[in-house]
Every structure is written in structure tokens, then in C-alpha cells.
Amino acid sequence: MFYRTCLQATAALASISLLAGCGLLSDEGADSEQKISVGTTSEPSTLDPAAAWDGSWELYRNVFQTLVSFPTGSTVPQPDAAECRFADTGNKTFECELREGLSFTNGDKLDAAAVKHSIDRIRTIDVQGGPNGLLGSLDRVDTEGDRVVTFHLKTSDATFPFILATPAMSIVPPSEYPADKLREDGKLTGSGPYALNSYKKGDSAELTRFANYKGFAKIKNDAVTIRYFEDSAVMMTALKEHEIDAINRGLTAEQVVELQEKKPENDHLQLVETVGADIRYLVFNPSDPNARKLAVRRAIAQVVDRDALVEKVYKGTAEPLYSMVPKGIAGHTTEFFDRYGEPDVAKAENILKDAGITEPVPLSFWYTTDRYGSATAPEFTELKRQLEATGLFEITVQGKPWDEFQKGYQNGEYPVFGRGWFPDFPDPDNFIAPFVGSENVLGTPYEAPEITEQLVQSRRESDRGAVTKQFEKAQEILVDDVRLLPLWQGKLYVAASEEIGGGERSLDPQTVMQVWELYRKASW
């Protein structure tokens, strides 16, 4: 395989791999006429990959192909639509050779021109907060014949294969996706394991197995319905009453604990726990007159009680996080704890007084009501309680649905807002690079030349386990600035009926659900 000489897995990266598990029956227990229904609170914000750097990837992974991908258990990209390799020792020229006979669900040929079109349109359209932010190192894309694609990079970037493996780099047919604008007919055409038969916003997506699919996935069911829920309680009721077969995202801590207790009324349900790399954090907007003050941000960092937050709201389904790089990823530190220690009101008061701030600081905190599950509202209520209990802050809390919330933070409307991050790929670069620069995923410019230099240095190294020092330095800078304040790191859970197998394999290293792994166990 091309990657054997190009990318090396490390023990630190390997720790993000999913926990091994076994179903009651082998995969061969699946029949050929299977339909699975999955519930989630993570609905796509758009059906066009050129516009999404968010939870829309949950759908994309199952209906589109990328050149390389992350099969369950892998820590480096593996072939999907193509086999790829760095063609030079400097990690600046990346070549891919497509599989033979690839096609889209509309019958169009998936060739090198389609790949170039798909990547180029991301850069041309350049949606604010969109996936073009991942392509900063790309100079140009060339093709040779129908099957060879070459990516020329501006600088060395050993993470580029990881970027190509994200659903943001989904391959689309040029005949249906304009080169200079987003597709607007509400439809989707890919070459992945499934075809999207229908999509109803706020309701469901209907997927059927694509007969001409050629890729790494071994599909264990015939069709999948993905149902979108705003309320975790309604979703759990649907699972208990056999209206859906499994739940991917959106379980509350209380629901996880309930399933862990194995009460008699839940005997027909199972809970699969996997290693998580998803994080939650606060973002401070530098254009706000109070949030822009370094003393205010440092004072908040000094008094936020992560232990209390995790205990009260998440009940053991999350753990405090003191770094933007979570546990299980190379380069993780506890820099925020090392710098601030335990919550201390007196220290926070002194930080503010030294900056001439003697009155309670008014701030508005914003969150999304329908993206990360029903626990988000109690989380922000607890943050408000903690900060106001110090007497140093006056906090208002407001929530909006994701579509409105996303527009608001991209337009710089919120002084402080909460975001979640599910990794694009299992590398420390992906927990720092997306948040810095003039055009980052948060919509709030964060010019940080020192961090950028650390990233440039680290990307010259193919052995990703050898970049620890660069990322430790980058995290020191993040702690100095407190533009981002990490709060907690979660565990991932899949809840399902006992008759459903494959849950332990259904989340890839990007924590994106691979619905093709789910199957209905054969009758006894």
C-alpha cells in the first residue's frame, strides 16, 4: 500500500481507534433484505459538500466517496476511490490513481476530471466557514488521463492525505454541481455506498444501497432511513417504541446512565461506548468590547469549574478538558490547568482589577439549541451560575437553532459562544489549525503567526508522533490568548435495539457514523 512508506501510525494516534467489540452473531448473520432506521440530532446544514465543515459530514460519508478514507480501526487514510501516495520526499506532491469503473448514481463516470472539479469548486466558491479552510496548503490540481490526479502543495503538508479523507472532499459529478456556485435544487448525487432517494429537512433522509458502488465499505444492510430529531427525549422514546433501530448522536447524560443501569424496561436495548475525541469549548469574539479584553477572558478561565460542569450536567459521560487537543491525541497537554489551577475567585478578581476593571462585566453567551443534544441548555445555565456566583460577571444566555446560530457567529454577532468539534481526522493539527487564521471555521479571525509557524514545522514531518513539541508550544500560545476555552471531552455512544449488530464498528476515527456497518441479526 502506498501509505506504508509515507505515513506512520503511532501509539498516541492509535488510542483514538474504536474499542474492539463483537456482536452476538457474525456479519454473515445479516440477510439481504434489510432496512435500518437511525436517529440523530445532527442534521445536515447543506447537501452540498462545498459548503459544509460541520455535522453534515454524517450524511456525506454514506452517500459520497473520497479519494481516501478512514475505515473503522484505521489511524491513517486508506484507499477509497483511489490509491494515493506522496511522490516526493518533501511531502509537496501527492498523487492518486482512481479505481477502474467508478460511476456516480446518475450514471456519470467518476474520473480524474470529476475529482479536480470537486476540489476546485470548493476553492472557487469559498463559502465562509466552509471546507476551503482545510485546503490552505494546496496550490493546484492536475490530471493525467482519466485516472490520475496530482495535488501540488505550496508547502510541505504531511496532513494532506488526512484532509482528503474528510467528507468535505467528497467527489461530485460536474454535470450536476456548478463550478462557481452551490447546487440549489435540494438534491444530492454521489458514488458512495448509498444513493440518497429523498431528503426532507427536519424529518428524514432515505438511503438505498448503490449497486455500482466500488470502494472499501462492506455494506451489511439494504437501505437506511436517517431520522432527524430536535429533542433527545423524543428520539429516545422512538427507540424504546421500536420506531427507530439505533441512535447515533444526541443522547443526553441521563439517557446514557439509564441505559447503563439496564433497567427491566430497557432489556431490549443495548449501549455501545467508544473512545471519544469530540470536545466542547467557548469562543470569545475579539470584536466585542468586553470579550476582546484579555483580562476578562483570563478571569473567566480562572473561575470556570469544569469538574462541577461535568458532574452536574454530563454525569460521567464526559471529562474535564484543559487543552484544545484532547486525550488520546498526540500532543495533548493540561496547559489550562497548569496555568490556572483550581477555580479561584480571588485570583480572577485580581486579574480584572489589574486591568482597571472594577464593575461586574456584562457578557452574552450563545449556544445552539438543536446541534449537540438537549444537555447544551443546562450546560450554559451552569456556566452562567458559576460566573455570576463570583460577583464578577453578569451573564445572559441565549440559544438559537443551528442554521440561525451558524449565521450569527459567522457574522460576528455573539460576544461569547459555544461550539463542539468532532475531529476531521485523528491528528493534533486538526484541533488547532481550523481555529486560527483570518478565515477559520469559527468566523472570528484569529491571527496567530507563532501558532501558524508551529503548524508549518509539524507538517514537514510524516511521522505524526514526532510533532509533540510543536503542538505543545502552540497550546501554550492558546492559553496565553484565551481566545478559545476548552471545557470538556466526551465519550461516544451508540444506543440500539438488541437485534441490531455492528454498533461497535459504526463510528469511524472521525466519529462519523458508517451506517453500512449496521445490520439486523438473524432470527434464532
Side-chain angles (χ1 to χ4, degrees):
M1 184 178 297
F2 286 128
Y3 286 104
R4 290 177 183 167
T5 58
C6 307
L7 297 171
Q8 301 176 21
T10 68
L13 287 180
S15 65
I16 195 175
S17 300
L18 301 178
L19 297 179
C22 300
L24 294 178
L25 299 176
S26 67
D27 292 346
E28 286 74 16
D31 60 50
S32 60
E33 294 285 333
Q34 293 206 23
K35 294 184 178 180
I36 305 291
S37 179
V38 178
T40 180
T41 58
S42 183
E43 183 173 8
S45 60
T46 172
L47 295 184
D48 192 326
W53 194 354
D54 59 26
S56 303
W57 292 7
E58 294 283 347
L59 178 62
Y60 297 170
R61 174 57 73 210
N62 296 284
V63 294
F64 290 110
Q65 275 186 288
T66 45
L67 291 170
V68 290
S69 191
F70 283 105
T72 297
S74 63
T75 56
V76 293
Q78 304 296 321
D80 187 1
E83 290 209 20
C84 306
R85 67 182 179 88
F86 275 110
D88 63 340
T89 58
N91 296 335
K92 294 181 66 175
T93 304
F94 195 68
E95 292 183 351
C96 295
E97 183 174 354
L98 292 166
R99 296 176 187 264
E100 293 186 17
L102 293 174
S103 65
F104 295 102
T105 56
N106 66 354
D108 289 0
K109 182 169 65 173
L110 193 167
D111 57 11
V115 174
K116 176 175 170 58
H117 173 86
S118 301
I119 303 301
D120 285 349
R121 69 187 296 269
I122 292 173
R123 307 176 75 196
T124 299
I125 298 171
D126 192 19
V127 172
Q128 182 180 7
N132 191 32
L134 288 165
L135 294 172
S137 65
L138 179 61
D139 181 22
R140 71 183 192 278
V141 184
D142 290 337
T143 64
E144 181 180 341
D146 285 345
R147 293 179 53 203
V148 177
V149 184
T150 302
F151 299 89
H152 300 277
L153 309 183
K154 302 172 187 175
T155 58
S156 298
D157 188 357
T159 71
F160 190 73
F162 292 77
I163 293 167
L164 287 182
T166 68
M169 304 301 142
S170 296
I171 307 168
V172 299
S175 65
E176 297 192 20
Y177 288 81
D180 57 356
K181 64 179 181 179
L182 298 176
R183 183 171 181 173
E184 299 176 346
D185 62 0
K187 297 181 180 180
L188 180 156
T189 308
S191 61
Y194 299 92
L196 180 66
N197 279 1
S198 67
Y199 172 75
K200 297 179 182 177
K201 186 174 176 59
D203 183 60
S204 63
E206 297 287 346
L207 313 182
T208 56
R209 185 171 182 165
F210 177 34
N212 292 328
Y213 165 72
K214 294 182 179 181
F216 74 91
K218 296 180 179 179
I219 308 169
K220 299 179 176 65
N221 56 62
D222 195 55
V224 176
T225 297
I226 302 176
R227 287 187 55 189
Y228 300 111
F229 293 84
E230 291 188 6
D231 189 278
S232 298
V234 175
M235 182 167 60
M236 177 58 77
T237 299
L239 178 65
K240 290 181 176 180
E241 296 183 356
H242 304 283
E243 295 174 8
I244 58 176
D245 298 308
I247 291 175
N248 175 21
R249 292 207 191 280
L251 287 171
T252 65
E254 290 80 6
Q255 290 166 345
V256 169
V257 172
E258 177 188 348
L259 292 173
Q260 288 173 332
E261 292 174 349
K262 295 298 289 184
K263 296 179 180 179
E265 61 268 29
N266 295 329
D267 278 348
H268 63 296
L269 301 178
Q270 60 176 310
L271 183 70
V272 177
E273 177 182 323
T274 68
V275 176
D278 61 311
I279 66 173
R280 297 293 186 276
Y281 57 96
L282 294 178
V283 182
F284 295 91
N285 187 344
S287 65
D288 180 78
N290 286 324
R292 73 192 306 170
K293 296 175 182 176
L294 180 58
V296 170
R297 302 197 300 271
R298 287 180 172 172
I300 292 175
Q302 185 63 69
V303 295
V304 165
D305 190 337
R306 296 169 176 83
D307 287 319
L309 180 67
V310 168
E311 179 182 355
K312 290 183 178 182
V313 180
Y314 291 100
K315 305 183 188 304
T317 63
E319 56 183 313
L321 181 64
Y322 297 95
S323 161
M324 287 300 289
V325 179
K327 290 182 179 179
I329 300 292
H332 166 73
T333 70
T334 56
E335 190 68 25
F336 270 94
F337 185 83
D338 298 342
R339 186 75 59 90
Y340 294 100
E342 298 291 344
D344 192 313
V345 175
K347 288 182 179 179
E349 186 173 12
N350 288 334
I351 290 172
L352 293 173
K353 284 184 176 179
D354 288 346
I357 302 172
T358 57
E359 297 294 324
V361 180
L363 282 169
S364 178
F365 280 44
W366 290 78
Y367 68 93
T368 176
T369 58
D370 58 355
R371 195 64 173 177
Y372 308 123
S374 302
T376 310
E379 175 180 343
F380 274 75
T381 298
E382 171 62 13
L383 287 171
K384 171 182 170 69
R385 184 199 68 76
Q386 290 183 12
L387 293 176
E388 291 192 335
T390 67
L392 304 175
F393 302 95
E394 295 176 350
I395 307 297
T396 59
V397 172
Q398 300 184 64
K400 283 187 175 183
W402 176 254
D403 286 348
E404 296 179 46
F405 176 77
Q406 187 178 38
K407 292 176 183 177
Y409 75 70
Q410 288 178 346
N411 291 331
E413 297 174 7
Y414 309 145
V416 185
F417 58 96
R419 283 295 310 271
W421 186 251
F422 301 95
D424 302 327
F425 48 85
D427 188 273
D429 188 284
N430 192 236
F431 291 89
I432 294 178
F435 310 123
V436 299
S438 59
E439 295 182 6
N440 60 53
V441 70
L442 301 171
T444 54
Y446 182 10
E447 298 292 350
E450 288 184 87
I451 295 179
T452 302
E453 177 57 31
Q454 297 302 318
L455 294 174
V456 169
Q457 292 180 23
S458 75
R459 289 171 179 173
R460 298 190 182 112
E461 180 58 66
S462 294
D463 181 357
R464 302 308 292 158
V467 297
T468 301
K469 289 185 178 180
Q470 288 94 327
F471 287 104
E472 288 177 349
K473 177 60 178 177
Q475 289 172 84
E476 290 177 9
I477 299 167
L478 289 175
V479 173
D480 283 340
D481 294 342
V482 201
R483 286 283 304 277
L484 307 168
L485 183 64
L487 297 174
W488 56 267
Q489 172 180 352
K491 301 174 183 178
L492 296 177
Y493 299 91
V494 174
S497 299
E498 281 287 0
E499 64 182 27
I500 299 299
E504 73 282 350
R505 292 185 55 81
S506 63
L507 292 175
D508 72 3
Q510 297 161 305
T511 71
V512 172
M513 176 166 267
Q514 302 175 145
V515 297
W516 61 78
E517 293 284 1
L518 301 177
Y519 62 91
R520 201 172 302 281
K521 299 170 185 175
S523 300
W524 290 95

